[in-house]
Amino acid sequence: MFAHARGETERALRLLDEGLAHVRELAAPEETADLLRTRGTVLLHRGDTAGAVGHFEEALTLARGAGLPDKVAAARRGLGDAARLSGDTARARVHYESALRECAANWFSVGETVRALIGLGRTAAAEGHTEEAVDWFRQAAGLAGEGPGDLELADAAEALASVAAPERAAELLGAAAALRGVGNAVDPDVVRTERNARAELSAQAYDKAFDQGRALRSAAVSER
C-alpha cells in the first residue's frame, strides 16, 4: 500500500502477489479478500479496469462465503469505483448503496461507510449534482472525524476538495497529505482535483494554501 501511494506500482503489485501466495496457502478468506481488493485498487488506478473488476468480484465471492459483511462492503465499493471511473454512474450507485447496506450490518466498518459515502458523492458530482455531492462528502467527513484513523479523514478531505473553490481545494489537499503522511499521486480523482486547482491558481498561491492545509491537518477539514 505504501509503495502504491509513492507511485511504485510494479513494486506494489509484486508485494501484493507475494502476500496473496501466502494467504492462499493458509486458506485465509478474509486476508485473501483484503489483498485482492487492494490489488484491484492498484490495477484500477493504473487504468486496468477489467483486471480490477475481476479482483473485486473474486474478493466479493470470498467475503460472502466467509460471512464477512465489511469485506463484502469493501468489494462492492471497489466495484462501484470501477463502474464510476468507467462512466457508468447508475451501476456505481447500485454498488455504493449495497456497500452501505452491508456496513449497516457491521458496527465496526466505519472506514468502508466513509468510502461508500464518498463514492456516492463522487457519483453525484459526475452527474452534475454538486449540492448533493457536497452533502455526501460532509456526511463522510463528519463520520471520519469521529473515527480513530486519519486515512478516512484524508479521503474525505480529498473528496471535499473536488467540489471546492481552487484555494480551498489546495488547502484540503494539503490537509489530506498531512493526514495520510504522503501525497496521493495515484488516485485519478485526486490527480484531477489537483490539476484543476493548479490551473486556476498561481504556483505561489497553490503552495501557500497547500502548506496552510498541511499545517492545520484535521482542523482544515472542518466546515468553515
Side-chain angles (χ1 to χ4, degrees):
M1 291 171 65
F2 283 114
H4 177 50
R6 291 192 299 266
E8 300 172 10
T9 303
E10 294 303 324
R11 182 166 185 263
L13 291 174
R14 286 197 302 271
L15 290 167
L16 287 163
D17 287 342
E18 183 180 349
L20 276 166
H22 290 302
V23 295
R24 288 188 192 280
E25 185 178 351
L26 293 168
E30 181 173 1
E31 290 76 9
T32 303
D34 279 342
L35 291 180
L36 283 167
R37 179 180 50 80
T38 302
R39 197 176 193 281
T41 299
V42 175
L43 293 176
L44 184 61
H45 288 173
R46 70 184 296 183
D48 183 1
T49 304
V53 168
H55 280 55
F56 295 143
E57 288 179 343
E58 186 179 352
L60 179 62
T61 299
L62 283 169
R64 277 177 172 164
L68 301 166
D70 58 324
K71 307 304 178 184
V72 171
R76 279 287 196 183
R77 194 254 308 166
L79 288 167
D81 290 343
R84 176 177 57 79
L85 290 171
S86 299
D88 191 345
T89 55
R91 182 179 295 275
R93 186 177 294 102
V94 169
H95 285 307
Y96 291 136
E97 289 174 348
S98 177
L100 280 180
R101 287 194 295 272
E102 295 291 344
C103 288
N106 204 344
W107 66 269
F108 55 82
S109 53
V110 174
E112 281 308 319
T113 302
V114 168
R115 293 182 181 99
L117 292 169
I118 289 172
L120 285 167
R122 291 197 182 279
T123 300
E127 294 175 336
H129 307 306
T130 305
E131 290 186 7
E132 180 186 346
V134 171
D135 182 60
W136 286 118
F137 294 155
R138 285 177 177 165
Q139 287 185 57
L143 183 59
E146 299 170 2
D150 288 340
L151 291 181
E152 290 80 9
L153 194 57
D155 289 340
E158 290 162 349
L160 284 165
S162 70
V163 290
E167 188 170 336
R168 173 65 172 152
E171 181 183 63
L172 286 165
L173 290 175
L179 290 164
R180 198 180 295 284
V182 63
N184 190 343
V186 292
D187 187 327
D189 291 312
V190 180
V191 170
R192 182 171 56 253
T193 299
E194 179 181 348
R195 183 179 63 243
N196 291 343
R198 286 187 180 277
E200 296 294 328
L201 298 170
S202 68
Q204 182 179 10
Y206 181 91
D207 290 344
K208 180 180 178 181
F210 186 92
D211 289 343
Q212 180 175 328
R214 189 162 52 186
L216 289 171
R217 291 175 62 89
S218 60
V221 188
S222 302
E223 186 179 351
R224 304 206 310 270

